[in-house]
Amino acid sequence: MQFIFPQWVRLKAFLKLLITLSAVLMSPALFAHGVAEGDKGYIQEIYGVHIIPFIYLGAKHMVTGYDHLLFLVGIIFFLYRMKDIGLYVSLFAIGHSVTMLIGVYYNISMNAYIIDAIIGFSIVYKALDNLGAYQRWFGFQPNTKAATLIFGLIHGFGLAVKIQEYEVSADGLLANLIAFNVGVELGQFMALAMILLLMTMWRKTPYFFKTAYQSNVFLMFLGFLLVGFQLTGFVTQ
């Protein structure tokens, strides 16, 4: 027997979720832009090649990186074939791998708040794309593959800025960066598997297409929220 909840109940649940996620995103940690003090202290004390610790740090950063995960949700929202999902996720992975490695190895940096604000904007972009806004507003569809790669490059630069906060020793730097990137990809795979599982369960319900529009509006709201918070952090800091 299938229970169909009244519309006001679904609305109430949606608003509750909105408030909860907003409260999480408004936490002080959002403005910290730092790495965990324990992790930072450990990395600053070691020298040479340490593959396993850097794989762990890379996976941890991706799994807890809500901005990267929100962008992934936007990417796969309307992708059903594994071939398409693999293509777009690979483009994203290539993008953030390239700029992460180059950014750290050559010590290319910029203000963390600014790059995170741009990453927040990437979420807004993808939500609008899912809503079909560009066709309605401008009469054309941006190249989604190129956009995914470009925003992957930007996300990777954000990763580079975070890694630089570790003040990683130059001894064994390249090997450790590669290990970190492997960890990022492992973390992304684990997160993607969970997201796909939840999305598949959601798609099997009659509410997926009924709530797809509201969900992407909510995704866009979270993107704007991140942009606003990061710019606020930039101004106040």
Side-chain angles (χ1 to χ4, degrees):
M1 181 177 180
Q2 185 178 17
F3 294 95
I4 301 178
F5 295 99
Q7 185 176 3
W8 69 270
V9 174
R10 298 198 298 272
L11 178 60
K12 183 178 180 181
F14 177 78
L15 290 175
K16 184 177 180 180
L17 176 63
L18 177 65
I19 294 171
T20 301
L21 289 178
S22 300
V24 171
L25 291 174
M26 290 171 62
S27 66
L30 184 65
F31 296 93
H33 286 284
V35 296
E37 287 302 319
D39 293 338
K40 186 174 181 178
Y42 171 76
I43 294 300
Q44 289 175 337
E45 293 175 359
I46 63 175
Y47 299 90
V49 178
H50 294 268
I51 302 298
I52 301 303
F54 276 91
I55 289 177
Y56 163 75
L57 289 171
K60 177 182 178 181
H61 187 90
M62 177 56 75
V63 171
T64 58
Y66 47 82
D67 46 1
H68 304 297
L69 298 182
L70 287 174
F71 187 68
L72 274 178
V73 170
I75 289 175
I76 69 170
F77 197 90
F78 286 122
L79 296 180
Y80 293 87
R81 298 188 303 175
M82 290 304 299
K83 177 181 178 181
D84 295 330
I85 294 172
L87 173 61
Y88 279 86
V89 172
S90 296
L91 289 171
F92 180 60
I94 291 171
H96 67 61
S97 296
V98 168
T99 46
M100 187 275 288
L101 291 170
I102 292 176
V104 177
Y105 193 78
Y106 292 101
N107 197 29
I108 303 171
S109 185
M110 69 176 294
N111 187 279
Y113 289 104
I114 296 299
I115 191 65
D116 281 350
I118 298 173
I119 290 174
F121 176 75
S122 72
I123 299 169
V124 175
Y125 165 86
K126 193 57 196 172
L128 287 172
D129 185 33
N130 290 341
L131 292 169
Y134 306 116
Q135 296 96 321
R136 292 197 302 270
W137 295 348
F138 309 111
F140 79 99
Q141 171 60 49
N143 188 310
T144 54
K145 296 183 180 66
T148 301
L149 178 61
I150 291 170
F151 281 122
L153 293 169
I154 295 171
H155 279 247
F157 200 40
L159 284 172
V161 171
K162 296 298 189 299
I163 297 173
Q164 288 169 355
E165 296 180 21
Y166 284 111
E167 300 176 8
V168 183
S169 170
D171 184 12
L173 176 60
L174 183 58
N176 289 333
L177 287 179
I178 293 173
F180 185 90
N181 191 63
V182 170
V184 167
E185 300 309 324
L186 290 174
Q188 179 171 275
F189 178 79
M190 291 186 291
L192 181 63
M194 182 60 65
I195 292 171
L196 281 174
L197 176 62
L198 295 175
M199 289 288 291
T200 300
M201 294 171 60
W202 184 21
R203 287 168 178 168
K204 290 181 179 179
T205 70
Y207 302 111
F208 176 71
F209 285 105
K210 293 180 180 179
T211 57
Y213 178 86
Q214 294 90 333
S215 299
N216 278 282
V217 170
F218 183 46
L219 187 65
M220 180 175 61
F221 162 78
L222 293 178
F224 275 125
L225 197 64
L226 290 175
V227 173
F229 283 163
Q230 302 302 345
L231 292 180
T232 301
F234 173 73
V235 172
T236 58
Q237 296 296 323

